[in-house]
Each structure stands twice: as structure tokens, then as C-alpha cells.
Amino acid sequence: LMHSAWGRTEGTRRAVAVVGSALGAAVRRAPFSEVCTVRRMNTGSTSDKKIKSSRLSKFHTLDIPARVAALEKAGFLTSETRAALEGQGLALADANNMIENVLATFGVPMGVALNMTVNGKDYVVPMVLEEPSVVAAVGNIARMIRPSGFTATSDDPIMIGQIHLREVGDIEAAKAALEANFDKLTDLAHGIQPRLLARGGGMRGMEVKKLVYDEPGEVREETLVLNFFMDCRDAMGANMINTTAEHLAPHVEQLANAKVGIKILSNLADRRLVRAGVTIPVERLATSTLDGMQVAQAIAAAYRFAYADPYRACTHNKGVMNGIDPVIIATGNDWRAIEAGAHAYAARDGRYKPLASWKVVASNLVGHIALPMQVGVVGGTIKNHPTAGAALKLLDVSGAQELGQVIAAVGLAQNLAALRALASEGIQRGHMSMHARGLVARVLPDDASQEMRALVLRLLIESKDVKEARALEIYHSLMSPDLQ
């Protein structure tokens, strides 16, 4: 059904993608942790809501006001959101209330990746970063795999809080006392989170673990940790987890007859995983010099290299995070928490491994990614930063779980784009083209015409010597009287 509809109109392909996504949801079984429910976000009925397409032809050729207008016309922007994007962003007075010793705000480009389809729904994805070619790479890969796009699932938004107990007189007795009072501790936690309970969140369990510190050359130490698991709904959850941990700490200390040490959330949110997958016919991967199967096999080989070698796995995962972090930043979420959790999860088996996998199956390249995703759509920076709020409205997600699914798909797309470039033309081509554009804009005099700038840019790229001195040399040679 998917293949036969490939050459038809965008409207037909979108309809087929929705049907295919629904069928796939019925038969696909995703891996999941014991205590979490895997959910595939329902995109809702299309009978009373216009289906939006993120396939906007020649978007990159428009100037910035025209791009904003095109997104508004396509239904991704409201007039309110447009005003927020065109405004000053974070006001200096608001910034002064966010961190200490403020001097200024720091501007970073925000672009949008087009063509993204996840679970049959189209998205325009805001991305904040300074690195060239990433936004275009995500959009190009997303266009390549339309109309089927990516599939994604997510666990319930369960975060982990930790209360560490040291100076424990009797480890086994303390552990038993805490386990016997899980219900009491749960009730205490719920007493300070009534709004979370009303929204369907709350405690989902507890555990007590014995820890052993045995660093060579140091005194061996046995301690306990109480881990509690809380469904944070549409919040990232750091504040509610930390508040709960501090509230429970004196009760835990009394029950265990021990001293409470650190009490805080864990950023290894491995009960809050997102997973994304994609299946691509290999012929779509072909380049001007390689056929699709050659490219697919090279991509799969690059994955196996990363699986076998942590030095390569680190760079492989950096490519994944090149896609993920910009969306996290754009939506006002904590990219440092996501990075920490992702890399810890990559090493969960005691050896650092790639987050995204790529394998050739018959005539398809099949990709998959899984990682912790503690994101929110309420609270924190989202309330204080008008551009972050506008970015979330641009994405049009129903909640934190859907946001996480889109982010995982973007990470998978960016990883594929990087591996495809490495397997064919090399990673530098796209990077250096954008670098050359910025260099020409910076070093040429203000009165240089657009035609002159375009010519210098073309000759600079063709020279493969993208340096300031070379750009000026080309410019001065073109301005030489002998060439006038």
C-alpha cells in the first residue's frame, strides 16, 4: 500500500501514511520496561481538523519574513506565535531573574526542519544551534522517507528520585523497615502533590537498594538508597521530584535509623524512554556516485564500527545529539539533563555503545533509537521565555510524550544524515559550504554586490580552500582593473 502510493499526490500519500501508521500500531510490539506502559500518541480524528503538511517547497529560498508567512499560511503558526517569533525574544529584565550576574542575552540562530512525519502526523521542528547543515540534513532525510515517515513510542513519564542513607547501623533491618512503610511514604508524597494526582500522575513505586563503595585503596563502605518512581505527566519533573525527596527525607531517616545524605532526582530516566524507528527502501539512499545498496551497507558498517569501538560510538552519538539538543533548547527544556541521561544509558551494560542502530534487512535500511527523554511542556523556562513557548506551539504537540517522540525521530534522522554523508561524499562538504557562506558575508566589504558575493562564494567552494585569506584573494582578483 505504501509503495504503490509513492508516486501519487501529497494528499493521497498523507492519507496512506495515516492508515499505514494505524495498521502498524496494531501489529508492532515495542520493547518496554517492566513498570512502564508504552504509548503511541493518538494524532486524533482528521474529520474536524485540517491535516497540515510540512512539505513546503523551496522554503529555503525565501527571505525570513516570507518563511514566517509561509508557515502561518500552512497552519503551523498563529498570529500570536508569529508575533512571539518576530519579537525580541527573552527580555533582559526577565533574563536577570533567571540566572545570576546577568550582562546580556546571547543570540543563537533558530531554524526549522521541514518534512518531518512521525506516527502519520506532520511537524515543523524548531531547532536552535550554531552548527551549519544540521537543520537541512534533518529536513532532507525526513523528505526522503515521506510519506511513511518515522514511527515512535514512549513510556509513561516516570522520573526517579533518590534518597541516600549513610551511617546505617544495620543494613538489613533498615532495608526491611523502609520496605514495610512504602505505603506510608507514598501517602506522604501524594499529600504534597495534589495537582499532580488530579492530572493522573503520582507515585508509581519504590525500591531500596544496597550500595557498596569499594574504590581501590579506600575504605569499603555499605550504604542504602531509596529510589522512588513518580509519573510527572507533562512536566520534566525535576522540581516536583526534588521537593518530594526533601519532604520524605526526615521520615526515611527515622524509619531507617540512619543519616540521610543526598536527596535529588536521577537524570538517568530509564523508565521514561522514547523509541523511534524507520524503514527506508535502499534505492532512496543512492547518490551520484553510489547505488542505494552500497550506501545502505556502508551505513550499516558504520553502525557496527560504533558498536565495536567506544571511540567511534561517542562520535556516532554526538551526531544523534546534534539533532536532539537543538529541539530541546528551542522548546525550553534542559539539554544538559538529556545529554547526561543519554550517555549514561548508552553505557548501561558496562560498555559505551551507539544509541541508534542501522541494519540492512532485505532491500531496506532499518533504523532504531531508544534513549531517556525527560522533557516537559509546562513550567520552568517554557513559561519565562516567549520564544520557547512559540516553538512549542509551532510543534503543535499534545504533551510531553509526543514531544519526546518527535525529538527521538529528529535524532535518528540527523544520525542517518551524518552516516550517509560519511558513507558517500564525506561530512565536510555540507559543513564547509555553510562555513564559506558565513565567511564571505563577514570578510567582503559592505558595498560588495550580491552578484559579487555569489561569485566569490562559488569560486571559494570550488577552490576547496575555505579560508579568509583565500576569499579576499578571490575578491581582489575579481575587482582587478584587468578584469573590469
Side-chain angles (χ1 to χ4, degrees):
L1 181 63
M2 294 288 191
H3 181 75
S4 64
W6 176 249
R8 298 177 187 171
T9 66
E10 175 70 7
T12 303
R13 294 199 302 270
R14 290 285 294 110
V16 169
V18 172
V19 174
S21 177
L23 290 172
V27 300
R28 185 178 298 103
R29 182 185 296 270
F32 54 92
S33 60
E34 293 180 10
V35 299
C36 297
T37 303
V38 173
R39 291 188 178 178
R40 185 186 186 89
M41 299 309 297
N42 186 348
T43 57
S45 170
T46 59
S47 60
D48 57 351
K49 187 175 181 180
K50 179 183 177 182
I51 296 177
K52 296 181 288 189
S53 173
S54 60
R55 181 76 181 98
L56 303 178
S57 181
K58 298 183 179 179
F59 186 83
H60 69 285
T61 66
L62 304 175
D63 61 21
I64 293 175
R67 291 173 191 163
V68 173
L71 290 175
E72 187 173 17
K73 183 178 180 181
F76 289 97
L77 286 180
T78 63
S79 56
E80 179 185 3
T81 308
R82 176 173 181 168
L85 290 177
E86 294 176 338
Q88 68 172 340
L90 181 65
L92 192 58
D94 293 330
N96 194 43
N97 292 323
M98 293 174 69
I99 66 168
E100 305 77 32
N101 300 335
V102 168
L103 297 178
T105 56
F106 187 88
V108 181
M110 185 174 92
V112 289
L114 304 178
N115 307 310
M116 182 63 63
T117 302
V118 183
N119 292 339
K121 178 179 174 181
D122 266 27
Y123 298 89
V124 168
V125 183
M127 303 180 73
V128 171
L129 76 165
E130 84 298 336
E131 185 170 336
S133 77
V134 172
V135 174
V138 170
N140 288 338
I141 291 297
R143 183 182 66 220
M144 180 189 297
I145 62 174
R146 290 176 71 89
S148 54
F150 297 86
T151 58
T153 60
S154 58
D155 295 339
D156 285 342
I158 294 174
M159 295 294 288
I160 302 170
Q162 297 191 290
I163 302 174
H164 185 224
L165 290 155
R166 53 194 179 89
E167 299 179 17
V168 185
D170 186 331
I171 289 283
E172 296 303 327
K175 185 173 183 292
L178 289 170
E179 290 173 342
N181 284 276
F182 279 172
D183 287 346
K184 175 184 176 181
L185 293 171
T186 297
D187 289 342
L188 287 168
H190 284 166
I192 62 168
Q193 301 288 357
R195 295 177 60 188
L196 179 62
L197 282 175
R199 295 194 299 271
M203 297 292 279
R204 295 293 184 263
M206 295 183 180
E207 68 178 7
V208 182
K209 297 173 67 176
K210 184 168 70 172
L211 304 177
V212 178
Y213 168 74
D214 57 355
E215 183 179 353
E218 301 295 332
V219 177
R220 188 176 187 274
E221 180 184 20
E222 291 188 356
T223 61
L224 291 176
V225 62
L226 170 71
N227 292 329
F228 62 88
F229 313 112
M230 179 176 285
D231 186 325
C232 297
R233 295 288 83 196
D234 282 328
M236 182 272 187
N239 288 337
M240 63 180 66
I241 291 290
N242 293 339
T243 298
T244 302
E246 291 179 1
H247 181 70
L248 293 179
H251 304 280
V252 170
E253 191 170 67
Q254 184 178 29
L255 288 168
N257 192 26
K259 184 174 182 179
V260 166
I262 287 175
K263 40 195 182 294
I264 195 170
L265 89 162
S266 170
N267 285 125
L268 178 52
D270 60 0
R271 298 182 179 227
R272 194 175 185 173
L273 300 183
V274 291
R275 306 167 188 84
V278 67
T279 298
I280 311 165
V282 296
E283 59 268 19
R284 300 187 195 172
L285 298 167
T287 70
S288 58
T289 57
L290 298 171
D291 66 40
M293 182 56 77
Q294 289 176 308
V295 175
Q297 289 173 341
I299 290 169
Y303 158 68
R304 296 194 299 272
F305 176 21
Y307 190 92
D309 179 51
Y311 290 91
R312 173 57 205 157
C314 182
T315 312
H316 180 101
N317 289 343
K318 192 269 184 181
V320 170
M321 303 312 290
N322 266 0
I324 287 175
D325 285 349
V327 190
I328 298 292
I329 295 169
T331 55
N333 278 283
D334 187 348
W335 63 270
R336 301 161 300 278
I338 303 297
E339 282 271 356
H343 294 299
Y345 186 74
R348 65 194 179 280
D349 297 328
R351 184 165 64 87
Y352 191 84
K353 295 178 182 177
L355 292 165
S357 65
W358 298 98
K359 299 177 182 179
V360 177
V361 180
S363 59
N364 296 310
L365 180 67
V366 178
H368 182 264
I369 188 172
L371 74 163
M373 190 59 65
Q374 59 264 44
V375 292
V377 296
V378 294
T381 304
I382 299 165
K383 291 194 300 184
N384 298 328
H385 201 307
T387 311
L392 275 172
K393 291 178 181 178
L394 176 64
L395 267 170
D396 188 28
V397 292
S398 61
Q401 288 175 274
E402 186 180 349
L403 173 61
Q405 291 173 10
V406 174
I407 292 170
V410 171
L412 192 59
Q414 166 55 29
N415 183 237
L416 176 56
L419 294 182
R420 182 171 180 258
L422 284 168
S424 53
E425 63 192 16
I427 202 72
Q428 282 296 86
R429 180 177 176 182
H431 281 273
M432 294 310 292
S433 295
M434 290 296 293
H435 176 57
R437 183 185 302 177
L439 190 151
V440 168
R442 185 177 73 251
V443 304
L444 263 59
D446 293 341
D447 59 356
S449 67
Q450 291 301 316
E451 292 78 8
M452 175 60 74
R453 291 177 184 276
L455 181 55
V456 172
L457 176 61
R458 180 173 64 80
L459 294 174
L460 182 64
I461 292 172
E462 288 176 357
S463 75
K464 298 183 180 180
D465 184 20
V466 183
K467 297 177 182 177
E468 182 174 323
R470 180 60 176 147
L472 289 172
E473 179 185 337
I474 293 171
Y475 172 71
H476 290 308
S477 69
L478 292 173
M479 292 298 291
S480 170
D482 295 338
L483 298 177
Q484 298 300 313

